Amino acid sequence: MPSSTADILAQLTGLVGPAAVIGAPEQMGNYLNEPRKRFHKGAVAVVLPSSVAEVQAIVRWANEHGVGLIPQGGNTGLVGAQVPLRGDEVIISLTRLDTIRSVDPAAGTMTAEAGVILENAHKAAEAQGTIFPLWLASQGSARVGGLLSSNAGGVNVLTYGNARELTMGVEAVLADGRLYQGLNSLKKDNTGYDLKDLLVGAEGTLGIITAATLKLFPKPEDYETCIVNIASPDAARTLFQLLRERLGGRLNAFEIVPALGLDMQLRHAMLDRDPTAGPSPWYALIEISRMAGGQAGLLQAAIETAFERQLIDNAVLAESLSDRTRMWAFREQMSEVQSKEGASIKHDVSVPIAAVPQLIAEGSAAAERLFPGIRPVPFGHMGDGNIHFNFSQPVGADPKTFMAQADEKLHEAIYEIVLKLGGSVSAEHGIGQLKIDLLRQVKDPVALDMMRAIKTALDPRNILNPGKMLP
């Protein structure tokens, strides 16, 4: 390893030029300050390559000198995979690799570089009459490389799958600087291991994704969107089953939000008006897509059936784009509004869909026993079993005291319930540095051995995101 920070900065400057290297700590804020404000280590440097060749040169240099590299996209990750763990690493930001290399609507593919902002990928797809259906709250800043490295989910998993299912091929720089050229648009390729699936979801520990071929789908002619009042998560589960029977693959999203979530957003003026039909213990945001020539009114007909079966007692359908935008803002602002209510403890978990009501009931009861007055705020993707089981501090509590007393105990209680129900302690956010110890506790030892063997084979010097994911 170079003997000093000055040596590292000088050698990086020699590789990519002075304009692409940041060495002053006061200029690194955008790369170090992650959304949850839980991780506070500095970095030796931030380097911003402008080409794949420069990424290769940086990785070769790091491998030769034993310098840890942290790949970073939009710095929107929630488990600390994209920020330093030790403080002696170099952050390699892919933000300058932001070219959309091609869009082929006939083949249903887009090839985008790792630094492309998700929202820009959406616009490029829609300009060709298609959609890239990975949709999440941070799409204005999240970038393709980070989304694939964390195997991001979002609100359309129900119909289109998560990031891994939306990826046809990747290009990635390996730990020794070689370039894996796996970009392709083949739907059938049985020529060995699917190496793409190793790199997607690996959090940059096996290779640095520099570009990807992504799946595109025909753009719907319109969407039908509504918010319904439901009595409980159990009623939501029954309603979801009915809608799947009636709507099949047209059902894009089925999201649940508790009344507290609406109360918080109205209190902090995050909504210009209440998007719901009226007070309710729970709400479900439902959306279907209608393709060109498709029959209109299918969602309304399904909702009328739900009324007849007494599964819901009120509903409002979006009658305009502004209505739909407001409804989705209600869902997408759920994480943000909790920060305005003081400290919060978050869990990104998944269980079988049938077990979601039990998870919420048992988890809320356990939290109340541990910390009377705590406010459960479970919300999210009922349609795929992924619930963001968050808890806001009791009203008037001191945030630091609450976190010190509640964080570890509440994690233990919720994860115990999740595992008992056959679920996962990380549904879509990943492992990063936040859940390393937890992974050791819950992962099959054989699976961990296989993961370590793969890591050792592809990155024997452990320079790629060292200390992340694997215990």
Side-chain angles (χ1 to χ4, degrees):
M1 184 171 182
S3 58
S4 68
T5 297
D7 287 341
I8 290 176
L9 294 174
Q11 291 176 28
L12 288 173
T13 298
L15 292 174
V16 297
V21 179
I22 300 173
E26 65 272 15
Q27 296 177 9
M28 296 184 189
N30 289 340
Y31 306 94
L32 297 175
N33 299 327
E34 45 79 35
R36 296 184 65 180
K37 300 178 175 59
R38 293 183 67 118
F39 310 105
H40 307 287
K41 290 288 187 181
V44 175
V46 178
V47 60
L48 298 95
S50 61
S51 68
V52 174
E54 287 188 349
V55 176
Q56 291 181 266
I58 293 164
V59 174
R60 277 194 295 266
W61 167 84
N63 194 49
E64 179 182 347
H65 295 285
V67 177
L69 291 178
I70 301 173
Q72 188 180 99
N75 194 16
T76 59
L78 298 175
V79 292
Q82 79 281 13
V83 291
L85 173 66
R86 306 182 308 226
D88 62 352
E89 307 99 326
V90 170
I91 294 175
I92 178 168
S93 170
L94 283 300
T95 53
R96 296 175 68 190
L97 273 68
D98 61 353
T99 299
I100 294 176
R101 297 182 186 175
S102 66
V103 180
D104 187 342
T109 63
M110 168 195 294
T111 299
E113 292 184 341
V116 171
I117 293 172
L118 178 57
E119 194 168 67
N120 292 340
H122 289 166
K123 292 175 181 177
E126 290 171 9
Q128 298 294 326
T130 63
I131 61 168
F132 177 56
L134 182 58
W135 185 14
L136 63 169
S138 60
Q139 60 199 34
S141 51
R143 297 175 186 262
V144 166
L147 292 165
L148 269 56
S149 293
S150 60
N151 190 27
V155 299
N156 283 329
V157 170
L158 189 57
T159 298
Y160 298 104
N162 54 25
R164 179 175 281 117
E165 293 169 283
L166 293 170
T167 304
M168 300 191 74
V170 298
E171 172 189 274
V173 176
L174 303 182
D176 59 5
R178 289 180 297 163
L179 185 65
Y180 167 62
Q181 301 183 59
L183 296 175
N184 69 65
S185 57
L186 300 176
K187 293 187 177 181
K188 293 184 177 181
D189 181 7
N190 260 344
T191 56
Y193 302 132
D194 192 336
L195 301 176
K196 171 262 297 180
D197 277 355
L198 276 181
L199 295 163
V200 175
E203 299 182 4
T205 62
L206 301 180
I208 298 177
I209 294 174
T210 51
T213 301
L214 308 170
K215 293 180 184 178
L216 302 180
F217 296 83
K219 184 178 178 180
E221 183 177 71
D222 202 0
Y223 295 93
E224 297 178 13
T225 311
C226 74
I227 293 178
V228 302
N229 294 14
I230 48 176
S232 66
D234 195 55
R237 178 186 60 185
T238 305
L239 175 62
F240 173 68
Q241 292 170 342
L242 169 66
L243 295 179
R244 285 297 297 269
E245 293 169 3
R246 294 293 300 269
L247 301 169
R250 299 181 185 88
L251 183 60
N252 290 351
F254 190 101
E255 304 281 311
I256 60 170
V257 181
L260 180 58
L262 178 62
D263 294 343
M264 287 179 174
Q265 292 190 48
L266 293 175
R267 181 161 56 249
H268 293 283
M270 295 178 68
L271 294 166
D272 58 354
R273 64 178 175 84
D274 185 345
T276 73
S280 176
W282 289 84
Y283 302 98
L285 170 60
I286 303 161
E287 184 165 274
I288 70 170
S289 56
R290 186 174 79 246
M291 306 309 294
Q295 181 181 349
L298 291 177
L299 179 56
Q300 180 173 338
I303 294 302
E304 289 172 354
T305 301
F307 270 113
E308 293 169 1
R309 298 187 185 182
Q310 300 183 334
L311 298 178
I312 60 176
D313 59 24
N314 214 339
V316 58
L317 280 92
E319 296 181 352
S320 65
L321 178 59
S322 62
D323 285 348
R324 178 178 181 246
T325 300
R326 186 179 299 107
M327 289 178 176
W328 274 110
F330 167 45
R331 163 59 184 87
E332 292 175 344
Q333 292 170 172
M334 281 301 301
S335 291
E336 180 184 353
V337 74
Q338 287 179 262
S339 66
K340 299 178 184 296
E341 292 279 323
S344 63
I345 298 173
K346 302 177 185 293
H347 306 89
D348 165 48
V349 298
S350 63
V351 295
I353 296 171
V356 168
Q358 185 178 352
L359 166 68
I360 293 174
E362 293 188 10
S364 299
E368 177 63 25
R369 286 194 300 270
L370 288 169
F371 306 101
I374 197 170
R375 294 176 291 167
V377 194
F379 69 94
H381 320 300
M382 177 82 183
D384 58 33
N386 175 197
I387 298 298
H388 301 293
F389 206 162
N390 300 350
F391 296 85
S392 286
Q393 68 177 59
V395 175
D398 176 71
K400 290 185 178 179
T401 302
F402 169 71
M403 291 299 291
Q405 294 178 345
D407 194 37
E408 185 174 343
K409 291 181 180 178
L410 196 53
H411 285 323
E412 289 178 359
I414 297 303
Y415 292 141
E416 181 180 351
I417 296 168
V418 168
L419 294 173
K420 179 187 73 173
L421 296 175
S424 169
V425 298
S426 183
E428 62 180 0
H429 294 164
I431 300 299
Q433 54 185 292
L434 180 65
K435 296 183 178 181
I436 294 175
D437 291 337
L438 181 63
L439 185 70
R440 181 191 296 117
Q441 297 169 31
V442 304
K443 195 75 172 177
D444 174 18
V446 175
L448 282 174
D449 286 345
M450 293 171 69
M451 290 168 64
R452 290 191 188 97
I454 294 167
K455 171 69 170 175
T456 301
L458 292 180
D459 182 18
R461 299 203 66 185
N462 193 30
I463 65 157
L464 295 177
N465 225 357
K468 308 293 176 56
M469 185 178 283
L470 282 170

